[in-house]
Amino acid sequence: RIIKPNRPGIGETKEGRGSDYARIFIRQTLLETLRKVGTAVDPYGFFSSPVDPVADDCPDYYDVVDRETEAMDLGSIESMIKDGTISTVDEMRTMLMRIVYSCRKYNRDEDDEVRQEGEKILPLSEPFLDRARRAIEQQMKKSGCVETDEGAVHDTHSSSVSSPRAEKRQRIEGGTNKQQGKQGRGAR
C-alpha cells in the first residue's frame, strides 16, 4: 500500500512537501538498503526469488514452509517496499527474519549450505539496516516530519497525516481533517 495524500494539492505547497518527500525518501532508502543487503547476504542467489519446488529440487518445500505465512525472499521484499506494504526499517527486518526462519525450518541440517547462508542474513544485514534507520531519522527531522506509532508520516508544518491505517480509521469513523477541526488524526 502506498501512502497517499488525504487532500488534493499536497506536495504542491510548502506545507505538504515535507511529508511527501519523506515517504519517497523512505521508500528509496529501503530499496537501496535491500539491494546492498542482497549483495552482501545472497551471493549465490538462494534467497533472491520465491522457492520453485521443481527447479530448486525441493518438491516438499511448501509442505514444510507455509507459502502465505512463512515463505519469503528478497524479490518479494522489494515488491512489498515498492507497493508500500513495507514502509519501515523494522518491517523490512521482520521480512528478512522470515527468510531466515523459513530457511531453518526447511533446511534442518546445520551443515546444509543453504542453511549456513541463511544464518548469515541477519548479522550481515544489521549494519545496513542501522544506517538506513539513521538516515531516515535524520531526513525526517530535516524535513520537519515525524513518524507516529502507526507508521504514519506527519508533516509538522501541516495538519495532514497520511498512512493507510490513519486513512482507514478516518473512513471508518467518518472523520476528515476538516471535521476534526484540522487536527492531524493519528499523530502523537
Side-chain angles (χ1 to χ4, degrees), residues 72-84:
M72 186 52 57
D73 62 273
L74 297 172
S76 296
I77 294 173
E78 179 178 5
S79 295
M80 294 169 78
I81 292 169
K82 287 179 178 178
D83 75 12

Side-chain angles (χ1 to χ4, degrees), residues 101-145:
Y101 172 78
S102 298
C103 180
R104 287 175 181 161
K105 188 172 183 180
Y106 186 77
N107 303 289
R108 294 178 191 261
D109 180 3
E110 292 183 13
D111 293 330
D112 183 89
E113 178 184 18
V114 176
R115 167 82 181 247
Q116 290 177 353
E117 290 300 312
E119 294 294 344
K120 297 176 186 177
I121 291 175
L122 289 178
L124 293 174
S125 297
E126 289 300 336
F128 296 109
L129 297 173
D130 289 342
R131 275 186 242 135
R133 186 176 290 110
R134 284 192 307 272
I136 290 169
E137 287 171 359
Q138 289 173 353
Q139 183 58 45
M140 301 263 299
K141 286 177 187 173
K142 278 190 346 189
S143 65
C145 294

Side-chain angles (χ1 to χ4, degrees), residues 37-57:
V37 165
T39 300
V41 306
D42 195 21
Y44 303 109
F46 293 141
F47 311 107
S48 62
S49 60
V51 171
D52 179 336
V54 175
D56 296 331
D57 194 29

Side-chain angles (χ1 to χ4, degrees), residues 1 3 19 31 130:
R1 45 183 208 267
I3 300 173
S19 60
L31 287 170
D130 289 342

Side-chain angles (χ1 to χ4, degrees), residues 1-175:
R1 45 183 208 267
I2 297 177
I3 300 173
K4 295 186 178 183
N6 59 2
R7 63 186 170 104
I10 195 166
E12 297 173 8
T13 65
K14 182 178 180 183
E15 294 81 22
R17 274 184 279 189
S19 60
D20 284 345
Y21 178 76
R23 282 187 293 276
I24 292 167
F25 180 84
I26 291 168
R27 184 174 57 235
Q28 294 301 349
T29 301
L30 292 175
L31 287 170
E32 181 181 317
T33 301
L34 183 64
R35 286 184 196 103
K36 291 176 181 177
V37 165
T39 300
V41 306
D42 195 21
Y44 303 109
F46 293 141
F47 311 107
S48 62
S49 60
V51 171
D52 179 336
V54 175
D56 296 331
D57 194 29
C58 52
D60 63 338
Y61 184 80
Y62 291 114
D63 295 333
V64 176
V65 176
D66 184 77
R67 185 183 301 264
E68 299 299 320
T69 61
E70 296 174 335
M72 186 52 57
D73 62 273
L74 297 172
S76 296
I77 294 173
E78 179 178 5
S79 295
M80 294 169 78
I81 292 169
K82 287 179 178 178
D83 75 12
T85 303
I86 294 175
S87 60
T88 69
V89 173
D90 289 336
E91 290 170 343
M92 188 165 98
R93 185 179 191 284
T94 298
M95 293 299 112
L96 291 169
M97 287 172 45
R98 268 180 65 176
I99 294 173
V100 175
Y101 172 78
S102 298
C103 180
R104 287 175 181 161
K105 188 172 183 180
Y106 186 77
N107 303 289
R108 294 178 191 261
D109 180 3
E110 292 183 13
D111 293 330
D112 183 89
E113 178 184 18
V114 176
R115 167 82 181 247
Q116 290 177 353
E117 290 300 312
E119 294 294 344
K120 297 176 186 177
I121 291 175
L122 289 178
L124 293 174
S125 297
E126 289 300 336
F128 296 109
L129 297 173
D130 289 342
R131 275 186 242 135
R133 186 176 290 110
R134 284 192 307 272
I136 290 169
E137 287 171 359
Q138 289 173 353
Q139 183 58 45
M140 301 263 299
K141 286 177 187 173
K142 278 190 346 189
S143 65
C145 294
V146 296
E147 187 172 11
T148 67
D149 292 340
E150 297 177 329
V153 176
H154 178 70
D155 185 343
T156 58
H157 303 295
S158 164
S159 62
S160 170
V161 172
S162 184
S163 81
R165 288 183 214 141
E167 289 172 5
K168 183 177 180 182
R169 187 174 58 233
Q170 282 182 342
R171 283 194 306 273
I172 291 170
E173 294 174 359

